[in-house]
């Protein structure tokens, strides 16, 4: 399932986008472990924050694997907070994955990281 966030409103994506970032996110999502898929992995087009990624609802709140916009960028695994913490942050980067890996490797590293750190049940 794909969702779009624009102007703070979450909607189901009506038509599939076929940009290189979205295609890469779909490719990675197809290789995610069963635990990540059970956590409700969804493709997210967040127009407000300007990213495309895969969102999973974990024990510690939503976690997003953000797909880089430009070549040579890094994939970021980000824990989003429902409310800002005492320092005013709304997200915390928990892992960076360089773009040298294929989709299978990125899916394996991110799902293994989440499982080993207790994010997934």
């Amino acid at each position: 399932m794909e969702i779009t966030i624009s102007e703070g409103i979450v909607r189901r994506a009506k038509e599939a986008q076929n940009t290189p970032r979205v295609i890469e996110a779909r490719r990675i999502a197809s290789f995610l472990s069963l635990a990540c898929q059970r956590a409700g992995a969804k493709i997210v087009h967040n127009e407000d924050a300007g990213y495309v990624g895969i969102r999973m609802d974990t024990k510690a709140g939503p976690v997003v694997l953000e797909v880089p916009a430009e070549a040579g960028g890094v994939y970021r695994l980000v824990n989003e907070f429902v409310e800002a913490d005492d320092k005013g942050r709304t997200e915390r980067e928990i892992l960076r994955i360089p773009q040298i890996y294929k989709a299978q490797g990125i899916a394996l590293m991110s799902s293994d990281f989440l499982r080993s750190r207790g994010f997934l049940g």
Side-chain angles (χ1 to χ4, degrees):
M1 179 159 124
E2 296 188 23
I3 60 174
T4 302
I5 302 171
S6 64
E7 299 175 9
I9 300 172
V10 180
R11 295 183 185 98
R12 188 173 187 176
K14 292 185 171 126
E15 55 185 56
Q17 298 178 5
N18 285 322
T19 63
R21 292 170 65 192
V22 174
I23 293 169
E24 183 67 16
R26 287 186 195 128
R27 188 176 299 128
I28 294 169
S30 68
F31 291 114
L32 284 174
S33 68
L34 181 60
C36 287
Q37 292 178 11
R38 281 194 351 233
K42 298 176 186 72
I43 307 291
V44 177
H45 311 274
N46 192 333
E47 296 171 1
D48 295 340
Y51 70 80
V52 172
I54 303 167
R55 180 184 171 122
M56 295 160 273
D57 297 319
T58 65
K59 293 178 184 177
V63 173
V64 178
L65 176 65
E66 295 180 1
V67 178
E70 70 280 342
V74 294
Y75 292 88
R76 294 179 34 189
L77 198 59
V78 176
N79 185 8
E80 293 183 338
F81 304 134
V82 177
E83 296 179 6
D85 64 356
D86 53 348
K87 295 179 182 175
R89 298 179 302 175
T90 58
E91 65 181 27
R92 178 180 58 153
E93 184 177 298
I94 54 178
L95 181 67
R96 294 174 73 95
I97 304 171
Q99 251 186 350
I100 60 172
Y101 297 102
K102 294 182 181 179
Q104 291 172 326
I106 294 165
L108 175 70
M109 282 188 277
S110 57
S111 62
D112 189 49
F113 180 86
L114 293 173
R115 184 193 51 78
S116 67
R117 301 305 193 280
F119 283 90
L120 301 173

